[in-house]
Amino acid sequence: MSRMSKQEKGWVFYDWANSAYSILITTAIFPLYFKAAANQAGLEGSTSTAYWGYANSFATLLISLCAPILGSIGDFKGFKKRFFTFFFALGIIFTLLLAVVPTNQWLILLICYMITVIGFGGTNIFYDAFLVDVTTEDKMNQISSRGYAMGYIGSTIPFIISIALIILSQQNILPFSVTVASKAAFAITALWWGLFTIPMLKNVKQVYYKDPVRNPISNGFKQLFETFKRIKLYRPLFLFLIAYFFYIDGVNTIITMSTAYGSDLGITSNNLLIILFATQVVAAPFAILYGKLADKFKGKTMLLIGIFVYIIICTYAYFLKTTLDFWILAMLVASSQGGIQALSRSYFAKLVPKEHANEFFGFYSIFYKFAAILGPFLVGFTAQLTGNTNSGVFSLIVLFIIGGVILLRVPETNNISKSNSISL
C-alpha cells in the first residue's frame, strides 16, 4: 500500500468499504432477517422467498438495463464522480433505513433493500470505470487485484462483529434481542461503507472524459447508439465480454449456491459460517498473487489458469462426500475466486477506450448481472433431473469450457485501436 499513489489507495479502499454490504446485507444477515420479519407478519415461507427473489431480480434488472446509458452520460467531464456519489449516497441512506424500519413492516423493508441494491450496483459501474483514471495500464492488474484482496479482508471485520453481536444476544449474554443485534449489523454496514469511502471521494478524480456538451443526456443516448453502430470496431472487446459472461456465471453460481450445496451435504450452519470466513481470508492473498503473476505471464494467461482451476473444482464437486471434502473445495475456490474477478476487471479496463470507460463498464455490468441467470438454472435443472446436487455443480463445467474457448480467441492487446484492425 505504501507504494501506491493517493488516487490508487482511495480507489482500493472502496473495495474494502463496500464489501461489508455484499456479505452482511446481500448474503448473510439481511436475508434471514427479512424471512423472519415476513414470517412474523403471517407470510408463508414460500411466499416470502418468492418476494425476495422478485425484489432481487427487479432491482438487478433495473440497474443493469440503465447501466450503459448511465455510463455513456458519465463519460462527459464531471459526471462520473457525480453519479458515483449519488448512487453511493442512495445505498448508504437506505442501508441505514433498514436499521430503523419497524420489523413488522416487511414490505417497506423489502423496498428499502431494493433501493440499496440499486445504489450498490450503480456505484460499482462508476467505481470499476475509475480504474482507468487512478493508475497506468502496467499497474492495472496489481491495483485491481489489491482492491479485491482489500475487499475480502475488509468484509471479515464487520462480519465478525455482527455475527458476534447476534450470537451473544441469542445466548442472552448481551442485554438485547437478536432483532436489535441484526439492526445494529445494518447500521455497522452503512457506517463501514461510508467511512472507508471518504478516501475515494476525496482523492479520486476523473482524468479521461469527453468534453461537456449542452444536453449530456440526449448526447449520452446518441453515443450509445453510435457504439452499437460501430460494434465491429470493438469486436475483440465484445468477444471478451461473451467469454466473461460464461465463465463469470460459473464463478458467481458457485458463490451463491455454496451454502445450499453445503447444507445438502449435511454440513452444519456454524461450520458453513466458519468455512465462509476462512474462504474470505484465504482469497485475499491469492487475489494479490494473481495480480503479480499476471504482470509476469499476462492477464489472459492467468484468466485461463483460473478457469482451469474452476474446471477442477467442478470435477471435484462431483465426488464430494464429507465436510473435509467441502473444506478442500472451498480452499480451491478461494485460490482463484478473487484473482479471476480482479483480472477480468483489469483486462477489460485495458481494452476499453479510456474516454468511453463508463459506457463500456456499463456493458460490463450488464454481462456480470445477467450472468447470474444461466448458472443457477443449470445447477437446479441438473440436480432435479439426476436427483443429485453434486451432478448439478458438475454441470457448471460447461460454462467454464465455453468461456475458456472463447477467451482463447480474444487477441493479446492492451490497446483497442490495435485490436480494431484484427479480423476474427
Side-chain angles (χ1 to χ4, degrees):
M1 291 289 289
S2 61
R3 299 177 185 176
M4 294 184 193
S5 66
K6 284 185 178 180
Q7 292 78 14
E8 290 168 342
K9 289 178 182 177
W11 188 87
V12 163
F13 259 104
Y14 185 71
D15 248 321
W16 172 283
N18 75 352
S19 293
Y21 174 92
S22 297
I23 193 167
L24 292 172
I25 305 300
T26 305
T27 306
I29 296 178
F30 185 74
L32 299 175
Y33 179 83
F34 168 73
K35 289 283 290 181
N39 182 61
Q40 289 178 10
L43 268 69
E44 294 286 340
S46 58
T47 303
S48 62
T49 297
Y51 285 150
W52 177 254
Y54 297 150
N56 277 284
S57 296
F58 179 76
T60 301
L61 180 64
L62 182 62
I63 192 62
S64 296
L65 293 178
C66 293
I69 184 58
L70 287 171
S72 185
I73 299 169
D75 282 321
F76 292 109
K77 184 177 181 181
F79 277 86
K80 184 186 284 192
K81 195 66 167 286
R82 292 180 198 173
F83 276 137
F84 174 88
T85 305
F86 170 77
F87 283 106
F88 160 71
L90 193 69
I92 287 285
I93 291 169
F94 280 87
T95 299
L96 273 174
L97 284 177
L98 295 177
V100 299
V101 172
T103 309
N104 59 354
Q105 298 295 323
W106 66 268
L107 182 57
I108 296 177
L109 278 171
L110 195 60
I111 292 171
C112 287
Y113 168 73
M114 290 170 64
I115 298 174
T116 69
V117 172
I118 292 170
F120 179 78
T123 306
N124 280 341
I125 296 169
F126 301 97
Y127 167 63
D128 287 340
F130 264 118
L131 180 59
V132 304
D133 298 293
V134 300
T135 193
T136 56
E137 284 194 8
D138 62 310
K139 294 178 69 178
M140 281 184 183
N141 289 332
Q142 288 197 34
I143 298 302
S144 182
S145 298
R146 288 181 185 276
Y148 267 97
M150 290 290 283
Y152 284 124
I153 297 170
S155 65
T156 62
I157 299 171
F159 179 65
I160 291 171
I161 295 171
S162 299
I163 292 298
L165 287 175
I166 291 172
I167 292 175
L168 292 175
S169 63
Q170 283 177 333
Q171 297 177 350
N172 296 319
I173 296 175
L174 293 176
F176 47 76
S177 66
V178 174
T179 297
V180 173
S182 298
K183 288 185 175 184
F186 306 150
I188 289 169
T189 301
L191 292 173
W192 184 275
W193 189 0
L195 177 65
F196 290 106
T197 303
I198 292 173
M200 173 84 180
L201 295 172
K202 183 180 178 181
N203 298 322
V204 174
K205 302 287 189 294
Q206 184 176 4
V207 176
Y208 298 99
Y209 52 79
K210 296 181 291 187
D211 291 328
V213 293
R214 181 172 296 178
N215 298 304
I217 296 177
S218 61
N219 273 274
F221 277 100
K222 181 180 178 181
Q223 176 58 51
L224 190 63
F225 179 69
E226 289 296 320
T227 298
F228 277 111
K229 283 176 63 179
R230 293 181 287 122
I231 198 167
K232 288 184 179 179
L233 295 177
Y234 305 108
R235 195 171 180 185
L237 191 149
F238 279 96
L239 192 63
F240 169 77
L241 282 177
I242 294 171
Y244 175 74
F245 172 85
F246 283 101
Y247 72 72
I248 207 67
D249 191 3
V251 172
N252 289 340
T253 302
I254 287 174
I255 294 171
T256 56
M257 301 292 288
S258 59
T259 303
Y261 182 39
S263 297
D264 287 347
L265 290 170
I267 300 172
T268 65
S269 297
N270 286 341
N271 275 333
L272 284 172
L273 286 174
I274 293 170
I275 293 171
L276 176 62
F277 172 75
T279 302
Q280 297 288 106
V281 173
V282 173
F286 273 98
I288 294 174
L289 179 62
Y290 261 74
K292 289 183 177 295
L293 292 175
D295 288 338
K296 186 175 182 179
F297 299 107
K298 296 184 179 179
K300 179 178 170 180
T301 301
M302 292 309 300
L303 283 173
L304 289 168
I305 289 173
I307 290 171
F308 179 70
V309 171
Y310 269 96
I311 289 174
I312 294 173
I313 288 168
C314 293
T315 306
Y316 187 75
Y318 183 76
F319 301 99
L320 218 64
K321 292 180 180 179
T322 66
T323 301
L324 177 60
D325 288 334
F326 194 80
W327 266 102
I328 295 171
L329 187 75
M331 294 306 100
L332 282 171
V333 170
S335 74
S336 296
Q337 176 180 298
I340 201 169
Q341 290 174 318
L343 293 185
S344 295
R345 179 167 62 186
S346 59
Y347 192 87
F348 186 72
K350 291 178 181 182
L351 284 173
V352 300
K354 291 182 172 57
E355 293 79 8
H356 299 274
N358 293 284
E359 178 185 350
F360 281 99
F361 268 101
F363 287 109
Y364 184 83
S365 178
I366 278 188
F367 277 76
Y368 181 84
K369 298 295 185 185
F370 276 83
I373 298 171
L374 181 59
F377 175 80
L378 186 61
V379 170
F381 177 77
T382 307
Q384 191 173 31
L385 186 67
T386 62
N388 187 344
T389 306
N390 293 35
S391 299
V393 178
F394 178 69
S395 69
L396 294 174
I397 199 171
V398 175
L399 301 179
F400 291 109
I401 291 173
I402 294 174
V405 169
I406 297 174
L407 183 62
L408 284 169
R409 298 191 63 200
V410 180
E412 280 283 6
T413 177
N414 291 340
N415 190 310
I416 192 67
S417 62
K418 292 179 184 177
S419 61
N420 289 343
S421 62
I422 298 174
S423 178
L424 298 176

